[in-house]
Amino acid sequence: NNIFFFFKQKTAYEIKECDWSSDVCSSDLLKNLARNLNVDSNVIFLNRVPNSELYSFYSVASCFIFTPSYEIFGMVIPEALGCGCPVISTPISAAKDILNAKNSIIIPFDDYRKLTESLTDFFTGKTSFNRSVVRQSVEYLQWDNLAECYLYHFSRLVAAQ
């Protein structure tokens, strides 16, 4: 299994802590960690990936890891799930509403042992996900479905007047 690191956009931490003068991932921290763990031949660092190319990466990724301590609602989670890519995440706000045992592993905040255990279980096959089920778990979030929901509720409001 190869591990891809790609950046959809710069985070506040990256802007504050790193020199991001180009789109190339210039953070040596992750590269050094991969080298020290002797897994650098299996880790691929990519430039920021444009939205138009995200599907290609989510579709071949074994899993998507998203472990912030704070996030109002990251679109990256439904994007990954919509491509059939299971998620390993911390229990951030609205994500708790769409993540479940059929599409994700939820780990406690700052529990690196649980993250390591979850990744180990995932890559050894102890934990597995059906990519079709993962994809179907967020079909209700498609724009057409959301638009129909809004129209339904709007028409009920108008009818009630």
Side-chain angles (χ1 to χ4, degrees):
N1 287 318
N2 283 329
I3 298 172
F4 298 96
F5 280 100
F6 68 89
F7 299 90
K8 186 174 173 198
Q9 60 189 5
K10 298 175 186 172
T11 65
Y13 172 79
E14 292 161 347
I15 292 169
K16 179 181 173 191
E17 299 296 327
C18 301
D19 174 18
W20 290 87
S21 55
S22 72
D23 282 344
V24 177
C25 173
S26 59
S27 172
D28 291 328
L29 178 67
L30 292 174
K31 291 178 183 178
N32 288 336
L33 179 61
R35 192 173 16 264
N36 291 340
L37 294 172
N38 201 28
V39 296
D40 53 324
S41 62
N42 291 39
V43 179
I44 302 167
F45 291 88
L46 302 170
N47 294 345
R48 256 185 319 136
V49 177
N51 286 342
S52 60
E53 297 174 24
L54 284 175
Y55 178 80
S56 302
F57 289 95
Y58 286 135
S59 296
V60 298
S62 299
C63 69
F64 179 72
I65 304 165
F66 190 66
T67 59
S69 56
Y70 177 79
E71 174 78 21
I72 294 173
F73 186 73
M75 285 302 295
V76 293
I77 290 176
E79 286 172 348
L81 296 173
C83 295
C85 182
V87 171
I88 297 175
S89 178
T90 48
I92 54 169
S93 63
K96 293 185 287 188
D97 294 334
I98 62 172
L99 297 178
N100 58 59
K102 292 181 180 180
N103 64 19
S104 62
I105 299 171
I106 300 174
I107 60 171
F109 294 108
D110 298 322
D111 190 340
Y112 303 106
R113 288 182 187 206
K114 184 65 176 170
L115 175 60
T116 302
E117 176 186 311
S118 297
L119 285 169
T120 301
D121 289 350
F122 192 88
F123 286 111
T124 60
K126 186 175 178 182
T127 300
S128 64
F129 295 91
N130 179 316
R131 292 182 80 90
S132 293
V133 171
V134 170
R135 189 176 302 106
Q136 291 168 1
S137 72
V138 291
E139 282 183 349
Y140 69 96
L141 293 175
Q142 292 178 0
W143 290 116
D144 290 346
N145 295 339
L146 292 174
E148 285 180 32
C149 183
Y150 280 116
L151 286 172
Y152 169 77
H153 289 292
F154 183 70
S155 65
R156 288 187 64 199
L157 287 171
V158 170
Q161 291 183 357

